[in-house]
Amino acid sequence: MKTRSMYKAERFVDRISTLPQSILDTILSLLPTEEAARTSILSTEWRYKWTTIPKLWFTLHKRTSELTSDIASTMKDMDMHDVYQVLLLRQGPIHEFALVMDDYWQHYHYFEFDLIILHLSRNHPVKKLRLDGLDGSEDIWSELPKCVFTLHHLTVSLDEFDGSENIWYKLPKSVFALHRLTDLYLCKFHIEHPSIFNGFGSLGSLCLIYVKISTQTLLHLLSNCPSLKNLNLNIDESGDKCTINELLKCLPVIEHLTLSGDVSQWLVLDSVAQELPTSLIHLKSLCLNQSCLSWGNGSALVLALIKCSPNLEDLHLEIECDLDFSAIKDKYSNVWLEHLNVLGLCFGSNNLETEFVKFILARSPKLKTVTILTAVDRKTQSKMIKTLLRAPRASPKVIITPFNFLKK
């Protein structure tokens, strides 16, 4: 006999069954694919509804023990083979594909992963790919298929690492098969481009975090992305170097540029010119994070980039030690930031950085917001803010807001 709650459930299913398939796809896409597939037991009508959703999300876990019963078998975690079988059941296009791996990836999974990526690249207009959640503690290099780079419409997020050090996963050749790529996010990968690579003509956003990549490969990749507007670089290991000019020549239409980590490991700055030959006329946002300014020519890099970016709107700097600005500021006295609206600074000391803020204040007629995060005591910070409030400024509307790491 059916209970009252069962009748209510049936009526609810009947009501949502009348919704258009596009709305049902949206609803089911909010569930992990394993959960969406379970809706097939609701009724005969619902048996295949989940096979048309455009977004697939799988979570793979490392199996810690052998299954010992039929009940356990029905509840077993999905593996790479299961994911591939689900793809074969698909009845509609796949636009987004996510694979979350909880300490799952092993070398013997590469073949099945290659099959998955190849199937996507040949049969579906994938725009977004996310690989997330690899964990571990060994110093190993594993491989991500280069055929992924043939999905040209793809928005890719490959986040292979969380919380552990000394791990890079080598980008498999199948990644390079994702020819429809529009956005690419790679974290903790060793990247080597294949001998035949025609680039990503539609790639608009590229984020490389804690990657191992030679500068030759980096420049080859960037020079074959003519539509690239958003670039975030944090190169953990390179092995060789390139000049700042070589890098910027590959970014003719860049609008948002972020450099993180110790760029001195791969970027030559010892000969930064007062004026760079490449004009970044499209650059709107510049962010220099962490230790990329914590050495001799950091200030020259900042000012050279600012000078060749006449349309800059947002500038954010994280400085781990004194920025030696006073020695070179006179060389850049003709800098004028006509469009700068936002300035954000994070530093541990105050004297030299205060001079830099004063320099920007005097040359930014449209500046509205200055945010300063420091790790100095309150008294020192208060003195610094008073100095800035009394400094000449080109914008009468600018608001200076201080924050402090310290509680006292």
Side-chain angles (χ1 to χ4, degrees), residues 85-344:
Q85 294 301 312
V86 169
L87 294 181
L88 296 179
L89 293 173
R90 290 289 307 168
Q91 297 183 14
I94 299 173
H95 295 146
E96 298 186 19
F97 181 82
L99 194 58
V100 179
M101 293 163 285
D102 185 6
D103 199 17
Y104 174 84
W105 194 298
Q106 301 294 332
H107 290 281
Y108 52 79
H109 293 130
Y110 296 148
F111 177 72
E112 289 178 325
F113 182 71
D114 271 339
L115 289 178
I116 290 171
I117 300 301
L118 285 171
H119 179 83
L120 292 173
S121 64
R122 293 173 178 175
N123 300 282
H124 298 279
V126 180
K127 296 180 180 179
K128 184 174 183 179
L129 173 67
R130 181 177 184 87
L131 303 180
D132 193 0
L134 274 176
D135 196 5
S137 58
E138 298 178 1
D139 186 5
I140 62 174
W141 297 89
S142 56
E143 188 168 328
L144 183 68
K146 291 182 181 178
C147 72
V148 171
F149 284 85
T150 63
L151 297 182
H152 287 253
H153 287 134
L154 195 64
T155 296
V156 185
S157 179
L158 306 177
D159 194 346
E160 288 294 299
F161 183 76
D162 185 13
S164 304
E165 297 181 354
N166 302 321
I167 296 181
W168 290 266
Y169 296 89
K170 196 171 182 180
L171 206 68
K173 295 180 180 180
S174 57
V175 175
F176 289 88
L178 307 177
H179 295 297
R180 295 161 181 169
L181 193 70
T182 59
D183 295 77
L184 174 60
Y185 177 93
L186 299 174
C187 179
K188 210 65 181 180
F189 275 104
H190 179 198
I191 303 171
E192 294 178 345
H193 67 271
S195 56
I196 300 177
F197 173 53
N198 297 322
F200 301 120
S202 301
L203 189 69
S205 179
L206 175 62
C207 188
L208 304 178
I209 304 299
Y210 302 124
V211 297
K212 178 179 181 180
I213 183 173
S214 69
T215 56
Q216 180 182 3
T217 298
L218 174 65
L219 296 177
H220 182 75
L221 176 61
L222 295 178
S223 62
N224 284 279
C225 301
S227 303
L228 191 63
K229 295 182 178 181
N230 189 344
L231 177 62
N232 188 335
L233 287 180
N234 188 336
I235 296 177
D236 207 38
E237 184 173 332
S238 174
D240 55 356
K241 296 179 181 292
C242 74
T243 67
I244 184 65
N245 293 331
E246 289 175 323
L247 176 65
L248 298 183
K249 284 179 181 178
C250 299
L251 308 172
V253 297
I254 196 70
E255 294 182 2
H256 305 276
L257 177 61
T258 299
L259 299 178
S260 304
D262 187 359
V263 298
S264 65
Q265 296 293 324
W266 61 276
L267 191 62
V268 177
L269 300 178
D270 55 352
S271 59
V272 174
Q274 184 176 338
E275 292 191 35
L276 298 175
T278 302
S279 180
L280 303 177
I281 60 174
H282 300 283
L283 188 65
K284 298 178 181 179
S285 175
L286 175 63
C287 182
L288 302 178
N289 290 333
Q290 300 173 17
S291 59
C292 63
L293 299 178
S294 63
W295 62 297
N297 288 289
S299 55
L301 170 64
V302 174
L303 293 177
L305 287 174
I306 289 176
K307 191 168 185 177
C308 71
S309 308
N311 297 308
L312 193 65
E313 297 176 2
D314 295 270
L315 177 61
H316 298 270
L317 305 175
E318 292 182 16
I319 305 166
E320 292 188 350
C321 65
D322 288 346
L323 185 65
D324 188 11
F325 170 71
S326 57
I328 65 169
K329 67 177 182 178
D330 292 339
K331 297 180 180 179
Y332 296 88
S333 58
N334 60 340
V335 168
W336 189 252
L337 297 169
E338 179 68 33
H339 302 282
L340 188 68
N341 292 317
V342 178
L343 173 65

